[in-house]
Amino acid sequence: MCGIIAYIGPEEALPRLLEGLKRLEYRGYDSAGVALVDESGIWTRREVGRVAGLVRKAVDPPHATVGIAHTRWATHGGVTLANTHPHMDGPERIAVVHNGIIENMDALKAQLEAEGVEFRSETDTEVLPHLIRRHYKGDPLQAVRSALAHVHGSYGIAVAFAEHPDLLIAARFGSPLVIGLGDGETVLASDPQAIVAHTRRVLYLDDREVALITAEGASVQRLDGGEVDRDVSLIEADYGVADLAGHPHFMSKEIWEQPESLRRCLRGRIQREHGNAKLGGLNMSPRDLVNVREVVTVGCGTAFHAGMVGSMAIEHLARIPARAEVASEFRNRHPIIGPDTLYFAVSQSGETADTLGAIEEIQVKGGQVMGVVNVVGSTIARTCGAGTYVYAGPEIAVASTKAFTSQVTAMLVFTLMLARTRNLSLAQGEGMAEALLTAPDKVSEYLADPGPIDAAVELVKDARYCLFMGRGFSYPVALEGALKLKEITYVPCEAYPAGEMKHGPIAMLEKGTPVIVVAPRGSQRDKVISNIKEVEARGAKCIIIHTQGDEELARLAAVSIPVPDVREFVSPLVTVLPLQLLAYKVGLALGRDIDKPRNLAKSVTVE
Ligand code: F6R
């Protein structure tokens, strides 16, 4: 969602802030701004649209070595220059950038207006600089603390004061902030991605904490008083830097990276000779696993789909009840939390507000929840305290691709561990381990020859409606394929379990409607053939994803896309690939903004 970057040190702040904003672009935004502080006051530039526009506008800056900057994704108030951050107090001596939502904005605004404050924007954020001004008596830290005592909602903020060009103040409640400790310089950001170019030594701010930041470092305190002794964390050396590596878009780079990201996810985790696996971060012995009576995954969007695959595998292979829940529904419906249930919170960013809310609900009710997270050190990883990283590396394109296959892989590794404590023999465990270990090669094999995707693009790109369908393990894949197509291309589509299709969506079919069928070899294949015949009888044209060598399905298809032969539980890792490529290539054909689709943000940090 919105991004924050702030710099204080010996160097010119502006180029560092603009470069940081570029690194945050992938999160999604619609306007951007920067504020620099020097003895004479605060200099700002703001622009609606891309950071490139702000760069063009930010000319003739003063010499300043401290500043704050922001990419905004509109929530309160339209996408206008007036609403773009930073926002300032009346005399323009205090500047604030903010991620999150101030829920009692109306009441605070009314009070401030009654005191004579004139607002310049429609944003909730603007109450903050005015409120901080009201509480400012010469001590900037105290002013921020006192102001935030009146605020309800969520925030990650950076505040600059013209009277104090040697410091910045940051505070957090519900919106992530991380402080990078460099050599004589300090960088604050909402995302480690904006920090890795400067330093790998970081301090994570927790909720209800405030930091006084100088070029020498940061002191962290609780908002209600009291020092916090926060250990310095190290961002992993292979955190990765977001460059395109010769690809035209991050989405294509990330699709083609999947053999490597899956190898990273599996590395050191499969014990082939024991037909078993180990996810060290779970810290669970076989005895602990035996006591698990049920597994529930929570997540949003793609992460929910990965949770669906994981829970199906657990039910199928470990033979215990398992289900996937949409985090926003789960957290708000006062769920029953089983004492013997193991919960997994699946999240690429580790910052998704609804998933975090679900975790808090599980923890409040005494449940055990583990993270399945990509971003190391993210809020979800730290809130869960235990879990597993999926090691997909930085995912920059808004639409998730490699994170999905890594989340599925991590859940399958867990399935193997769990199943071995139940009815999976050594020999069966060996077979499962082998199927997992060879999955990255199968992904490579497919990507080396992806089949007639361009023919599928021709059928889909001008369609008024498309239907995706699959059964069993292929149903979440169909959902994921439709989500990708919607996100990247805006082509209207939906996904259904193939057996449910005749209970409604079949009415949408007309001559030429593209139906994308996910039908690999396995227990559900024959039933899907009947569904294919039903839709073709209504004039639909089927794009069929099937196992190599399945001539019967190839003959039924208007476009036949073969994928390598793998065990059924591994099939989502290969069947999702043509669907990712289809969305990507339809997006290209329609001239869409592939990496930054309209209205979307990479990390959804508001409810
Ligand atoms: C889909 C997509 C979203 C995310 C969802 C959860 O391409 O990117 O649906 O999967 O917002 O995000 P994380 O995994 O960061 O919790």
Side-chain angles (χ1 to χ4, degrees), residues 300-303 346-350 352 398-400 407 483-484 487 604:
C300 306
T302 291
V346 186
S347 175
Q348 187 287 125
S349 62
T352 302
V398 163
S400 193
Q407 288 159 349
L483 181 63
K484 288 294 90 93
E487 287 179 300
V604 184

Side-chain angles (χ1 to χ4, degrees), residues 350-351 356 359 371 373 375-387 389:
E351 303 295 348
L356 198 55
I359 293 167
V373 173
V375 177
V376 175
S378 55
T379 308
I380 289 179
R382 288 180 299 119
T383 306
C384 290
Y389 285 117

